Amino acid sequence: MTGPQLFVDAWDPSYGASFEATPGGPVTPSSTQVDADVELPAVDWRAIGPRPGVAAPAVVLLVDGVRRIDASVWTAEEDGASYPGIAASYAAGVVRCDLERGVAELAGARVGRGLFTASPSAQEVTCGQVRYPVHRVGGTGELSKLPAAVQAPLTALEVAVSDAARADGDLLVVDGPLRARRQLPRTLGYIKTQHSQYLDARLTAVVTGLGSGQRSPVFRLGTAWGGWSWYLRLPVTVGAPWAGIVRLECSPDLAPQDAIALADLSLVTLPRFASSPYKDPRAPQNLVPIAGLERRLRGLLGDARLLHRALTMATRGGVRR
């Protein structure tokens, strides 16, 4: 009797796995409603390769953001109450890839910081030239939930740097779900880690059977945050069923034919940016320009130890209010 086939995920385990299933396992279907009859009837689903005549755009913009907790803090309120908080730094940037000239360059980057807490009396903390404005969070502000509060201002920063760098005709690729960026034109959300399985077993078999440089048909996720979506396999050697597979999404406000056109465009554009295992532990999903951008943005955040020391000195005796 033979056992199941075993694969080793190509990703460095410190980054998690390229496919993270729900607790019930990869075969557990998501509760999200899916319309699979968008590009092809579900009964006719098959792998789709590059279509003749579809060319990559002259310019591709890739945007990403990073965040870091510089310190955890607590407030001491006048009424005796105490609230947790975090001092966080975050940055967003855009890489402009000119495919005609073969040149990639940083098109813009911005840094933000904040003190995230539910404290009604906390005020910004100043450490020399560095400021941490207060971002008031709702509820009781549990410490475990505070890191998620950084996402909204980080997304706003990503939108701002994207708007400043865009020109007519370019393609914008956002590292991660679109979230509040669904209104941006010619924009793709690039999800490199698959946390949920949206399709039934038969359609999932089409996805895991994709060859390098092939995509699934476009489908629609029927949720408030959903939209048009499809899977694509980047260039990868033979490996686990989900190796090299990413999910793309675009605005639900687009007509079906426009979403399909973007899916075709992604297939002739994104594979050229795929990383290699000897260069990146998250290859091939962590695109080469994104990896370089992440390193640049982390450098812009400043020295974590110096900031932690400065925050400690600035808040000695209690958070400044």
Side-chain angles (χ1 to χ4, degrees):
M1 180 177 180
T2 59
Q5 192 171 7
L6 182 66
F7 295 94
V8 176
D9 198 305
W11 281 27
D12 184 320
S14 63
Y15 291 98
S18 56
F19 177 83
E20 296 182 9
T22 57
V27 297
T28 301
S30 167
S31 60
T32 303
Q33 295 296 313
V34 174
D35 179 7
D37 301 311
V38 176
E39 183 173 4
L40 291 176
V43 296
D44 296 329
W45 259 46
R46 56 176 174 77
I48 297 175
R51 299 188 192 276
V54 177
V59 174
V60 180
L61 300 176
L62 296 101
V63 61
D64 193 16
V66 298
R67 54 187 172 179
R68 184 187 68 204
I69 297 176
D70 295 332
S72 296
V73 301
W74 289 85
T75 68
E77 307 293 325
E78 293 181 355
D79 61 2
S82 182
Y83 292 88
I86 58 171
S89 296
Y90 49 94
V94 178
V95 176
R96 184 181 188 275
C97 299
D98 187 325
L99 301 186
E100 292 184 342
R101 295 191 299 132
V103 175
E105 57 189 0
L106 183 67
R110 299 185 188 180
V111 176
R113 307 186 199 272
L115 174 64
F116 296 81
T117 179
S119 167
S121 60
Q123 297 180 11
E124 76 171 39
V125 177
T126 302
C127 309
Q129 300 298 315
V130 178
R131 297 172 51 251
Y132 289 84
V134 173
H135 291 259
R136 207 87 57 188
V137 301
T140 57
E142 298 96 324
L143 186 60
S144 61
K145 297 181 179 180
L146 289 176
V150 184
Q151 185 60 53
L154 175 55
T155 297
L157 205 61
E158 291 178 356
V159 172
V161 296
S162 300
D163 287 345
R166 296 208 75 173
D168 292 340
D170 59 22
L171 177 68
L172 179 67
V173 180
V174 174
D175 189 51
L178 287 178
R179 295 191 178 96
R181 298 160 290 203
R182 296 188 302 173
Q183 80 284 359
L184 299 177
R186 285 174 63 82
T187 300
L188 299 177
Y190 178 84
I191 298 93
K192 55 178 174 278
T193 303
Q194 310 309 316
H195 295 280
S196 302
Q197 186 166 305
Y198 298 107
L199 306 173
D200 63 33
R202 186 176 59 82
L203 299 184
T204 296
V206 174
V207 174
T208 56
L210 294 173
S212 295
Q214 293 182 328
R215 68 171 178 87
S216 75
V218 173
F219 57 95
R220 187 176 181 110
L221 295 175
T223 63
W225 46 263
W228 307 112
S229 193
W230 61 96
Y231 291 98
L232 183 156
R233 192 188 292 273
L234 298 169
V236 67
T237 57
V238 176
W242 288 88
I245 289 181
V246 296
R247 184 172 67 84
L248 283 302
E249 61 183 26
C250 62
S251 172
D253 299 329
L254 294 174
Q257 60 269 27
D258 293 331
I260 294 170
L262 279 176
D264 286 335
L265 196 62
S266 72
L267 194 56
V268 298
T269 303
L270 296 180
R272 68 181 63 199
F273 297 127
S275 53
S276 303
Y278 72 92
K279 291 182 178 180
D280 194 309
R282 290 175 288 172
Q285 288 99 315
N286 201 39
L287 304 180
V288 172
I290 291 293
L293 177 59
E294 287 177 344
R295 289 192 294 270
R296 182 70 176 272
L297 293 178
R298 289 194 182 97
L300 293 177
L301 294 182
D303 188 289
R305 293 172 297 179
L306 291 178
L307 285 171
H308 188 275
R309 187 180 304 129
L311 282 162
T312 300
M313 295 178 63
T315 60
R316 187 163 289 164
V319 173
R320 302 293 184 189
R321 295 185 301 207

